[in-house]
Amino acid sequence: MLVGIRYLLLVVLGAVGALALAWHFHLGTAATAVTVLLGLAPAYIAWAAFRADRAEAASVDLDTVAGQLAVAVKAQWDDEVAVRRVNDPYPLPVAWRPADPGLGEAWPLLTDLAHAWPGGPPGDPALWPQDAAGLAGADAQIGEVFTDRVPTRRLVILGEPGAGKSVLLIRLLQDLIQRRTATSPVPVLFSLASWNPSRPLKSWMAEQLRRTHPGLRSPAPSQVITTTAATAADRHDDLAQALLDTGRILPLLDGFDELPTDWHPTALDALNRALSAQQPLVLASRTTPYRDALARPGTPVLLNGAAAIQLLPLDPAAAATYLRRDAGGPHSPAAGRWDAVTASLGSDTPVGQALSTPLGLFLARTIYNPRPRTTPASAAAHPDHMCDTTAFPDRTTLDAHLFNAFIPAAYTADHPRPPRWTADQAHRALVFLAQFLQHQRGGTPDLAWWEFPLAIPASIRVLMVRLMVGLVVGLLGGLTVGLAAGPVTGLAAGPITGLTAGLMAGRRAGHESNTAVPSTRFRWSNRRGLAAGLVTGLVTGVTFGLLRGFDGLMAGLVTGLTVGLVFGLLGWLVGGLVGEEPDQTSVTGPVALLSSDRRTFRAVAGMAGLTFGAVFGLVGWPVGWFVNVIVVGLVFVDDYTDVAPGWVLFGSVLGSVIVPALGTGAGLGYGLALGLRQTAWAHFVMARVYLAVRHKLPWHLMAFLQDAHEHRGLLRQVGPVYQFRHIDLQRHLAQQQTGRLP
């Protein structure tokens, strides 16, 4: 409603202003009528387009959107489970028990809270256990525990580093999607490491949804916007925010312990404020940081209405069976190599402690259980080396050894998928990337390719942007001016044009807040193009018509109509470019997002150049005729019939070649500037070149990251960003010096 009032006010003010100008310049009744009539069509089309967009947004069914999102989330995590080899050779057995008293709500209070909910409890009270002891379980029971045994469906999962919290969350997500009905909330996994509690939680979660599922940027239904209006400054009235506001998202919050320690009480308080007691959720954290957060001096903060479970160490017998099975089976020759290690499982020895978690077990089997056609890459190829207490006197040193040996094991030359990079090259790159995340991105686990320019010092980033823009625009400027005025003038104009454009382009490139973000693909909309063309033609036509009207009414009308038609055509072609969001069932990965962003950049630059060239080509012959007939025939000679053939040829060349060339050059320059502003690909290319030259990172950086995710298991993919397989691996590498393997 408010937008409609503003639109009507602008139309009225525009009409009043046009009438005032017409009266001031004494344009007469005919000119005034033409001016007003020309404004009716674009005004109606713009209003109709606005109403159509609002009607389309209002017709969106959030339940349908949630169903499409569930399909996308399932596909995303099914693929990630396969890449992480979670089920190879079979899922590691993970068990849990109720957490210690004080880490969750008292059981009687939980049941009372659930019974007191408006509309009744979320589940069947007959399935609730008598006390918290009934929360104990293992493996695939996590879905049953959360759905049927936790009265409030609010759960805290606690465990030691590498105990399998993240994998258990993924298994819970898959189970919840399998159980989901048409009206059930969609479980979505969020990593809290990139959240600052000073920012509203739902606003942050909405941004994560938009980044992972760009289709959720589409406008939300108007009735949802009205009933869930917020006062947050960064609020977006789109589908992502609407799904959160209407309770159609079930947050699975991982990595509470990855937030700075001082933020933990504030973060718990923010969770309680943002998510009401009736909002189902799961929070995962390491045990000690969570316990410490609840024991802080002052008013303790407990997650409202949440039960808590504690992951147990791996059963020694199950871990031994897993290692031997991964080696080829309990009776294979390779399985016997693990006898000394399995004898230490469950003990207080460094190897017994390090291999008591799924993470340690994964690293050990990756390093010491070579795949077919491979040989172990570490200096000590036998698992018995881990039992050497002289080399590894405690768990910390053994954990560091496993992290260090993980990279050579992944980049061995006779790997089933031979790598393009050596282990030393991979180590150098991964150390740099880990340090970039830890020191320049605040410890976030999200490795986003469009943020790589932030690894370049601001002054160098500004210089690179200026050089790129200046070089391209300078070449285009020199070429087009050279066609118009000769090669000497073009050679002089090129550097001047490039220098000016470069200085303007790099003016704010060094600021982090101006970092480019990836764009979605573009399409051409005839409706929007027509509206843009009519509005553009009206504005330019009226402006030039009024200016030309000093020489007479007819001159003003002719000029206004001519200029309006030309620029209206240009606005129709360029103004029809609109962003097309993917549907909610698609998940845009890093490589796919980079490819679409690159195509968008090329399309924007090319479309602008071709459009300007085509439009100016259409007006080229009239311009040539103007120079030939008007300027030459009426100024330089008394009789047009006496014009030399050279002047006629000059006018023809001006119309057919020079004017279109000038238009194309201007369009490409405009397209380059537009592409730099709306896409991130060009900025990423500059960052890739700088990092390869300065820090010796791989030239094909995205191919390296993709390979580290798909074939090496060093990275995981969450939507459009990569993450290190485990936050401890990221922190371990961040503490090392860039260079060769230790």
Side-chain angles (χ1 to χ4, degrees), residues 330-653:
H331 304 293
S332 65
R337 303 189 323 133
W338 291 97
D339 289 344
V341 172
T342 55
S344 300
L345 295 178
S347 67
D348 292 334
T349 61
V351 66
Q353 295 176 344
L355 272 61
S356 65
T357 65
L359 175 62
L361 215 59
F362 166 79
L363 295 175
R365 66 126 169 182
T366 302
I367 296 166
Y368 294 105
N369 270 346
R371 300 297 100 188
R373 300 191 304 108
T374 67
T375 57
S378 60
H382 201 282
D384 286 355
H385 183 61
M386 292 186 291
C387 300
D388 185 354
T389 56
T390 302
F392 310 114
D394 52 37
R395 177 178 179 175
T396 302
T397 56
L398 183 54
D399 285 341
H401 161 72
L402 292 175
F403 281 137
N404 291 332
F406 184 30
I407 296 177
Y411 285 89
T412 180
D414 50 3
H415 191 277
R417 293 181 180 271
R420 297 165 53 185
W421 303 272
T422 66
D424 283 332
Q425 291 172 327
H427 177 261
R428 178 189 296 275
L430 293 169
V431 166
F432 177 85
L433 295 174
Q435 292 174 344
F436 169 66
L437 292 176
Q438 286 295 119
H439 305 310
Q440 295 177 261
R441 304 303 300 143
T444 177
D446 296 339
L447 188 61
W449 60 262
W450 58 91
E451 294 179 348
F452 283 175
L454 297 177
I456 308 175
S459 58
I460 298 179
R461 190 159 71 246
V462 170
L463 179 62
M464 294 183 72
V465 171
R466 287 174 173 173
L467 286 176
M468 184 183 71
V469 175
L471 179 63
V472 175
V473 176
L475 289 175
L476 292 173
L479 177 63
T480 53
V481 173
L483 288 174
V488 176
T489 306
L491 289 175
I496 297 175
T497 305
L499 179 62
T500 303
L503 290 174
M504 295 180 63
R507 184 167 52 92
R508 298 181 61 193
H511 295 279
E512 181 175 336
S513 59
N514 292 280
T515 303
V517 295
S519 67
T520 56
R521 58 184 178 178
F522 276 77
R523 65 180 176 87
W524 192 78
S525 170
N526 181 63
R527 184 186 64 186
R528 295 192 180 186
L530 183 60
L534 288 173
V535 172
T536 303
L538 172 65
V539 173
T540 56
V542 170
T543 301
F544 281 90
L546 290 175
L547 293 175
R548 190 72 174 87
F550 289 107
D551 296 332
L553 176 61
M554 187 56 64
L557 289 175
V558 173
T559 302
L561 289 174
T562 303
V563 174
L565 287 174
V566 172
F567 282 90
L569 177 62
L570 186 63
W572 175 61
L573 294 173
V574 177
L577 290 175
V578 296
E580 183 178 86
E581 304 289 355
D583 58 49
Q584 286 75 37
T585 60
S586 64
V587 178
T588 306
V591 176
L593 185 60
L594 177 66
S595 298
S596 64
D597 191 69
R598 179 176 60 243
R599 288 194 299 269
T600 300
F601 177 84
R602 294 173 177 174
V604 168
M607 182 67 72
L610 292 176
T611 301
F612 274 71
V615 171
F616 278 87
L618 291 175
V619 302
W621 282 104
V623 170
W625 176 85
F626 176 80
V627 172
N628 189 4
V629 176
I630 304 299
V631 176
V632 178
L634 300 181
V635 176
F636 293 99
V637 297
D638 295 330
D639 187 359
Y640 176 69
T641 57
D642 296 333
V643 175
W647 284 109
V648 178
L649 179 62
F650 173 75
S652 301
V653 170

Side-chain angles (χ1 to χ4, degrees), residues 668-680:
L668 290 175
Y670 171 76
L672 175 64
L674 188 63
L676 284 171
R677 186 176 184 85
Q678 295 186 356
T679 66

Side-chain angles (χ1 to χ4, degrees), residues 13-26:
L13 290 177
V16 172
L19 292 174
L21 288 174
W23 175 80
H24 177 74
F25 290 107
H26 306 288

Side-chain angles (χ1 to χ4, degrees), residues 229-268:
T231 59
D234 56 348
R235 176 178 177 82
H236 297 265
D237 292 324
D238 55 17
L239 291 176
Q241 193 72 54
L243 290 174
L244 287 164
D245 290 340
T246 56
R248 288 177 169 85
I249 299 296
L250 197 164
L252 308 181
L253 306 173
D254 192 15
F256 173 81
D257 54 281
E258 296 169 13
L259 293 171
T261 304
D262 293 339
W263 291 3
H264 288 169
T266 304
L268 283 174

Side-chain angles (χ1 to χ4, degrees), residues 294-307:
L294 302 185
R296 287 290 183 90
T299 304
V301 182
L302 192 67
L303 187 61
N304 293 339

